[in-house]
Amino acid sequence: NNYRAENEQCLSATYGSECYTCSPGAAGCAGIESYKRLDAAEYGACDGYAKMKAEIYARGPISCGVDANAEMEAYTGGIFSSKGSSINHIISIAGWGVEPTTGDEYWVLRNSWGEPWGEEGFMRIVTSENKGPAGTDNLAVERECAFATVKGFRA
């Protein structure tokens, strides 16, 4: 299913296509008969602090699982730390940094919840190697990560 920020069942039978689009309001959803697929040239896992940094440095953002809990949903800014164990959402890690005033090291997490969430759609969440006061609890974001490089489009 296309991501729609809600829990749902697979709607392919409803719309007659494995790919469909939904518009807000009365327009609803409709199947897409002709669409292109994006193929990957290379892909693989890059779990853990060191592998994540190496992959981001080499090729850019990666995708990671996260335990999107109520605290994450309520995030409005700052360096974030919260325990997590059960992966239930996918995000992108775009980079990392260090907060100069506290020394907290953080991942720059990009979410699909839109610009109103967090810091214009982003979150700064501590790394597992953080030495600053925010701690190292990061919603299990370093546990299930992957990368891919684009090969091209096909019909």
Side-chain angles (χ1 to χ4, degrees), residues 21-134:
T21 186
C22 296
S23 299
C29 300
I32 298 173
E33 297 302 319
S34 177
Y35 52 90
K36 293 182 179 180
R37 293 180 184 270
L38 183 63
D39 290 329
E42 295 179 68
Y43 60 91
C46 55
D47 305 336
Y49 177 86
K51 289 180 183 176
M52 291 168 65
K53 275 192 164 184
E55 187 58 41
I56 293 166
Y57 184 77
R59 299 188 248 209
I62 61 174
S63 64
C64 295
V66 66
D67 184 356
N69 63 17
E71 291 177 71
M72 180 179 173
E73 288 186 39
Y75 173 75
T76 58
I79 306 297
F80 184 81
S81 180
S82 178
K83 285 190 184 279
S85 60
S86 182
I87 303 298
N88 60 10
H89 185 57
I90 303 296
I91 52 80
S92 177
I93 301 290
W96 66 88
V98 176
E99 175 60 40
T101 58
T102 64
D104 283 307
E105 182 183 36
Y106 58 86
W107 296 113
V108 178
L109 180 155
R110 180 174 54 193
N111 202 345
S112 58
W113 295 342
E115 191 176 312
W117 176 81
E119 297 175 336
E120 298 181 357
F122 289 82
M123 167 186 263
R124 291 177 291 155
I125 188 167
V126 296
T127 70
S128 63
E129 300 290 323
N130 180 37
K131 305 290 188 242

